[in-house]
Amino acid sequence: MIERNRRVRKERQIQRAEHDIHPRFSLQWTWTQIVKAARAGQGWFVICLAGICIGINAALISIVTAWLSDIKMGYCRDAWWLNRHFCCWEVDNSEEGGCSSWRSWGFYTPEKWIVYVLFASVFSLLAASLVKTFARYAAGSGISEIKCIIAGFIMQGYLGGWTLFIKSLTLASKEGPSVHVACCIGNIVARMFNSYSRSQGKMREILTAASAAGVAVAFGSPIGGVLFSIEEMSHTFSIKTTWRSFFCALVATVTLSAMNPFRTGKLVLFQVTYDRDWHFFEIVFFVILGIFGGLYGVLVINLNLQVAAFRRRYLANHAVVEAITLATLTAMFGYFNRFIRIDMTESLAILFRECDNGGDYDNLCQSDVQWRMANSLLLATVFRVGFVILSYGCKVPAGIFVPSMAIGATFGRMVGIIVKATYRAYPQWGWFAVCRPDVPCITPGTYAFLGAAAALGGVMRITVSVVVIMFELTGALTYILPTMIVLLVTKAVSDFFGGRGIADEMIRFNGYPLLDKNDHAFNISVSRVMRRGLQTLPVSGMTLSELDAILESTTVQGFPIISVDGERMLNGYIGRTEVEYVLGMISSLFTLETAPQDVQNLSANANGTGPALGIDEEEADNLIENSASGAEINMWPWVNQTPLTVSPHLPLEIVMQLFKRMGPRVILVEERGSLVGLITVKDVLKFIAMERGASSPSWNHQGGVGDMFEEAWSWISSFLFKFITNGSRTG
């Protein structure tokens, strides 16, 4: 209500200035036009500023994380602040030890392994400790929470400055939780302007545009970022928001391109180009990749939720130890696999490349070691799947995009190597009759590319945006059709097993109040779901001490205002913030000694004199001060006289559509003017969960893998207890 009054007051001032008679091009007319232009262009300026900051932040993260990734392997003798790529800028094939400026941490494998594991443990310790101490909201990917915030859910501090700083400082790569980082920047920039900081609707618009820019800088895909925000982040998407999202993504991408963090002209390290065509017989193998993507998504989502339930139950107070343990184990075993040892973005760049364009990393393209490479890729796939299941959701900044793409890329490259080896062994087969002898028939890098798309689509359950992202990564129209085939097969496999993407499942797991677009409740009336025992305020006859006691004893965010004649006639609705605002004004105007002793009644009646909309803060102060000199305090300027109401006989499905499209926090239920209840998103979700209870138990009570983890934890705990007890007795 306070913000509504401000907006109405500004609109009236502008309309009054426009209707006043002023000659054209006069000073007053010119000033009015400047104000109108500034108001119209402020939104675009905020979007542009947010996009620039997002691009700069992405470039800085790219530079820092590249150095941190390489420092585990060695350092540059000439300039310690350079990563391996820039240290060996003028040296070809530096992977093979041809760069004398780059020095490893040892000459023997055990030495390198120890340093590699130590760096991984120290980095995880710092990241987990910083998150726990300064910004607990910096943990995880953040997509689930941002979807809820855009839908209207308020999470104080989730998009604050500390969250941005800690998450940017501890990220493994800019392609990680890029959406959360971008939304933090958009929130901070927008709150510098009063028109945005006071309007939740405008803030949600900025966050939607920022999420598009986050995906754009992560994958060098501005159009894909816009489609991602439409497909995944927001239920309703206006044309105005679409244009602003595209503009923000474009500005962020241009800024990142201008900074050129890799000095190669690429926006992301794994950006590639393909100049070869594909053959129709390869569709069979593309379908295999799609099936893998769907199965991967189903496996990871279901098992990770079981791990999350185990983590919540047993490891909630051991977040730092868990992060260090997972990072140490990953480093200890992953070091011996050539595709896990290096950074995931670098691995994607290697696996996506064609063999004749510098893609022969560690003999990857050599036919005499092709089966050894296929075995190494298979082990990397299995290893990463297991650790993604265990590590996603632990209390460090980490996303799911790049790990899933890396898993799909290793599996896809393995399939490509097998298909290429089959062609070389049996070139006379009918399938290979279309292959030209002077041109390589199979390009394993494209299989890695399609496998990455399949895994990403499988775990997130998105299709169109992934197709466009992959197209913008390669710039090749030729592979749009194979990408669409792979993702359609992935979608079909995922839908066959049911469920939703991992972001939506985490929303359900954490109990966030968000209605999914697929949530429906047919043939059910509002009266079955509404809340009846309400905390209300009478329209008059309440003392200040009674109101203060109600605020202290309740945690509700608003109060319906009803008549005092026993009919419970609805007179309006006032939020908790507005009540606290008025009480704060009273306490600032009066003290216990100077306050009139006859101030006893608190009136929320809207039948006072004067307009109920657009009241100025000074007028509000005068209203309270003048009314306090009488017998009651008038609160009518802060009362919502026309709250959103529905009938108890209305179908619940219509109320759910109101929540999805309008985003209200509460809807009042009245019958013939009398208040009978209210309904919130949490009430709807609780009812849906109860209806599904028999067929879909909560993650905290499911068996299977959760029971296995609990049994393993009990066994390990009892073993350690016996070991320590026996040791103390022996000592």
Side-chain angles (χ1 to χ4, degrees), residues 260-564:
N260 195 13
F262 302 114
R263 296 297 185 267
T264 59
K266 296 180 179 180
L267 297 177
V268 291
L269 189 61
F270 47 87
Q271 191 171 359
V272 293
T273 56
Y274 296 120
D275 54 6
R276 298 175 190 163
D277 204 348
W278 57 280
H279 306 91
F280 276 97
F281 72 85
E282 294 181 276
I283 292 179
V284 176
F285 306 105
F286 298 160
V287 170
I288 294 175
L289 295 178
I291 295 173
F292 168 79
L295 294 177
Y296 162 77
V298 172
L299 178 70
V300 169
I301 292 171
N302 285 278
L303 293 184
N304 180 257
L305 287 171
Q306 298 282 3
V307 173
F310 175 82
R311 177 181 292 118
R312 173 183 291 178
R313 187 169 184 178
Y314 295 107
L315 303 177
N317 299 322
H318 309 285
V320 177
V321 176
E322 180 196 4
I324 297 172
T325 303
L326 289 173
T328 304
L329 291 176
T330 304
M332 288 174 61
F333 296 103
Y335 180 83
F336 299 101
N337 187 286
R338 69 197 79 196
F339 300 107
I340 299 177
R341 181 169 58 244
I342 59 178
D343 183 61
M344 278 188 285
T345 54
E346 184 181 355
S347 175
L348 286 173
I350 292 169
L351 295 173
F352 284 178
R353 288 181 200 156
E354 296 181 357
C355 286
D356 52 359
N357 288 333
D360 192 14
Y361 166 78
D362 202 6
N363 299 320
L364 179 62
C365 297
Q366 300 301 317
S367 58
D368 55 336
V369 294
Q370 58 189 4
W371 297 114
R372 191 171 65 187
M373 284 294 169
N375 180 60
S376 181
L377 289 166
L378 178 61
L379 291 176
T381 302
V382 175
F383 183 86
R384 275 211 172 106
V385 168
F387 271 92
V388 164
I389 292 172
L390 294 175
S391 60
Y392 181 71
C394 67
K395 301 305 180 182
V396 292
I400 195 68
F401 283 6
V402 174
S404 295
M405 292 180 67
I407 290 169
T410 52
F411 181 82
R413 187 77 185 215
M414 180 194 70
V415 173
I417 290 175
I418 293 174
V419 175
K420 186 174 182 179
T422 305
Y423 166 70
R424 286 178 174 174
Y426 306 99
Q428 71 278 6
W429 276 12
W431 279 14
F432 304 131
V434 295
C435 296
R436 295 171 53 186
D438 57 334
V439 177
C441 181
I442 306 297
T443 306
T446 60
Y447 286 77
F449 163 78
L450 295 173
L456 179 58
V459 77
M460 294 298 299
R461 303 292 172 88
I462 52 179
T463 53
V464 179
S465 54
V466 176
V467 172
V468 178
I469 287 172
M470 291 301 176
F471 162 67
E472 291 184 280
L473 272 177
T474 60
L477 287 169
T478 308
Y479 283 90
I480 284 185
L481 182 58
T483 308
M484 294 175 65
I485 293 173
V486 167
L487 288 171
L488 285 175
V489 174
T490 300
K491 176 69 173 173
V493 174
S494 301
D495 291 343
F496 176 79
F497 287 96
R500 294 168 289 187
I502 194 167
D504 295 325
E505 291 291 352
M506 292 305 297
I507 290 173
R508 175 190 168 198
F509 175 81
N510 292 315
Y512 295 140
L514 177 68
L515 285 171
D516 189 77
K517 61 181 107 176
N518 297 320
D519 286 334
H520 300 283
F522 299 107
N523 302 321
I524 298 172
S525 63
V526 174
S527 59
R528 291 184 56 187
V529 186
M530 68 182 185
R531 196 181 304 176
R532 288 181 169 83
L534 307 181
Q535 180 65 58
T536 60
L537 296 180
V539 72
S540 61
M542 177 174 285
T543 63
L544 293 176
S545 59
E546 291 175 347
L547 181 60
D548 197 23
I550 290 176
L551 290 179
E552 292 181 358
S553 61
T554 62
T555 58
V556 295
Q557 299 301 313
F559 304 91
I561 300 173
I562 59 175
S563 61
V564 295

Side-chain angles (χ1 to χ4, degrees), residues 209-241:
S211 65
V215 176
V217 296
F219 300 102
S221 174
I223 301 176
V226 176
L227 291 176
F228 175 84
S229 61
I230 294 174
E231 187 176 4
E232 180 69 10
M233 302 304 297
S234 180
H235 289 292
T236 58
F237 217 87
S238 63
I239 298 299
K240 175 184 176 183
T241 306

Side-chain angles (χ1 to χ4, degrees), residues 592-648:
L592 293 175
E593 292 76 14
T594 60
Q597 298 300 316
D598 57 350
V599 179
Q600 295 180 353
N601 297 327
L602 182 66
S603 175
N605 196 346
N607 295 325
T609 59
L613 294 178
I615 186 170
D616 202 336
E617 278 81 356
E618 295 182 0
E619 296 178 14
D621 293 343
N622 295 332
L623 175 65
I624 288 183
E625 187 172 3
N626 294 332
S627 63
S629 63
E632 61 182 18
I633 301 296
N634 290 311
M635 294 185 65
W636 53 265
W638 297 275
V639 175
N640 184 1
Q641 303 170 43
T642 57
L644 186 60
T645 60
V646 297
S647 168

